Amino acid sequence: MVQSNSLYRRFYRVFGYPLQALAAVIIYGFYAILPLKVASSIGGWVGRTIGPHLNYHRRAIASIKRAFPHYSETVLNKTATEMWDNLGRVLAELPHLERISKEHLEIVGEENIAEVKKNGVSCIFFSGHFANWELFTRANKKIGISYAQAYRAPNNQFIDAMLKRIRNLKADDIIPKGQKGARAAIQALNSGRSIAMLVDQKMNDGIPVIFFGRNAMTAPALAQLSIRFNCPAIPARLERVKGCQFRLSFYPPLNIPDNKKVETMMKNVNNIFEEWISDRPGQWLCWLHRRWPED
């Protein structure tokens, strides 16, 4: 049985991965030839038309209900459909990221990153999978701050190469997952460079931190690095204002807790995410993930 599974995985890597990549290239090319607004609208239509019929839709509904038990069935379905609409738009907007970042991205709260820009202070920008989170890979040019970015490579090496090109990521811009990534993050901060992290997903070997009233396994690296290097952790919120118009807001850095406990700082991070999610629940992707241990 084990040998059979191993052969299947090997077969899929040889034949399935290239087919996956070909499909991704075709879809990417289709959206690339369309005007931005048309591509985004079609992507949204595809997302909200197909998404609710997938098995993942039930998982999303269950997750939303855990966070907002007072929601009616109508509101639950509306929120999940908005999430699918947003996800469809994210995929359709991938070929247009550079244009969006230049022409359709408003920056708010620049006073909160003024010291970083002026004095070259290292910091950690953190956010989650909100609105079109892929814009974070392009926002560094918009705000004039270079930062390395946490990146989880997909298993498909062809998709991996495609995503790196789409995100305009060079080798020294990438902080990979695991021990190698930890070393890269430390090296970046030691050299005076800033880093950016999306820290809203479940991490099985993370730490339990309260999130919407329940313990959720949470990646602790943000707090560990901020406390260790005494560097500011700056919340960066991305919102889809309307269609393909976006707003990126920077907030004052989080205070390092007096007790310097990682759990305390990550609870503050989750509190921030709760506020953002409650404000625009349909723009958070991670309803699709098993965010809580009992899921």
Side-chain angles (χ1 to χ4, degrees):
M1 186 66 176
V2 174
Q3 185 178 5
S4 175
N5 289 337
S6 177
L7 287 172
Y8 173 78
R9 287 195 296 268
R10 192 178 307 166
F11 178 86
Y12 193 76
R13 284 196 298 268
V14 173
F15 296 100
Y17 282 4
L19 290 175
Q20 278 184 348
L22 177 61
V25 168
I26 291 172
I27 294 170
Y28 181 89
F30 169 72
Y31 285 125
I33 64 176
L34 296 175
L36 167 60
K37 291 183 179 180
V38 174
S40 181
S41 295
I42 292 176
W45 177 83
V46 171
R48 64 179 180 268
T49 300
I50 296 177
H53 299 286
L54 301 177
N55 288 335
Y56 286 104
H57 187 72
R58 289 196 295 272
R59 181 186 298 177
I61 292 289
S63 295
I64 297 167
K65 195 168 186 176
R66 285 187 185 278
F68 304 109
H70 59 284
Y71 275 9
S72 66
E73 290 299 316
T74 300
V75 176
L76 286 170
N77 279 289
K78 178 176 180 291
T79 302
T81 300
E82 288 174 355
M83 177 209 64
W84 288 115
D85 176 275
N86 183 71
L87 178 57
R89 288 178 183 271
V90 169
L91 298 176
E93 290 161 357
L94 285 177
H96 305 279
L97 290 179
E98 185 171 3
R99 183 183 171 192
I100 295 174
S101 66
K102 289 180 178 178
E103 302 175 14
H104 301 277
L105 180 62
E106 174 192 10
I107 305 295
V108 176
E110 288 195 82
E111 67 275 7
N112 295 312
I113 59 173
E115 184 179 358
V116 175
K117 292 182 67 172
K118 181 179 178 180
N119 301 322
V121 177
S122 293
C123 74
I124 305 172
F125 295 109
F126 73 88
S127 191
H129 291 78
F130 300 100
N132 190 335
W133 59 92
E134 295 290 353
L135 285 170
F136 285 115
T137 64
R138 302 279 179 165
N140 52 2
K141 293 182 179 179
K142 184 87 170 183
I143 64 177
I145 298 174
S146 173
Y147 47 78
Q149 302 167 47
Y151 174 72
R152 181 177 182 178
N155 294 330
N156 187 326
Q157 68 270 28
F158 304 108
I159 300 291
D160 180 32
M162 184 178 177
L163 282 176
K164 286 177 180 175
R165 183 165 185 175
I166 290 170
R167 293 170 174 174
N168 196 31
L169 291 175
K170 301 179 180 62
D172 61 350
D173 292 330
I174 295 172
I175 299 174
K177 184 183 177 184
Q179 285 297 113
K180 188 177 179 181
R183 290 193 295 270
I186 291 170
Q187 183 178 0
L189 293 173
N190 273 331
S191 66
R193 196 175 187 195
S194 295
I195 62 177
M197 309 172 73
L198 302 182
V199 295
D200 58 334
Q201 290 181 304
K202 179 182 179 181
M203 182 178 181
N204 288 329
D205 55 349
I207 59 174
V209 180
I210 294 296
F211 186 50
F212 280 108
R214 292 179 172 86
N215 271 328
M217 300 308 291
T218 301
L222 166 64
Q224 290 170 340
L225 291 169
S226 180
I227 292 170
R228 175 175 175 177
F229 290 92
N230 194 32
C231 67
I234 300 177
R237 180 187 184 186
L238 191 62
E239 301 168 83
R240 186 183 296 277
V241 179
K242 184 179 180 181
C244 48
Q245 294 291 137
F246 296 89
R247 177 168 57 237
L248 177 58
S249 303
F250 293 101
Y251 292 83
L254 287 187
N255 293 322
I256 293 176
D258 292 336
N259 59 15
K260 294 192 176 181
K261 283 190 175 181
V262 169
E263 294 84 354
T264 302
M265 191 166 184
M266 291 313 302
K267 177 61 172 69
N268 294 336
V269 170
N270 280 359
N271 287 343
I272 290 172
F273 287 161
E274 284 186 24
E275 291 180 13
W276 296 354
I277 293 166
S278 298
D279 186 37
R280 294 180 183 268
Q283 292 192 15
W284 191 49
L285 172 72
C286 293
W287 298 125
L288 291 172
H289 295 188
R290 298 187 186 280
R291 191 64 186 88
W292 291 274
E294 60 267 33
D295 286 348

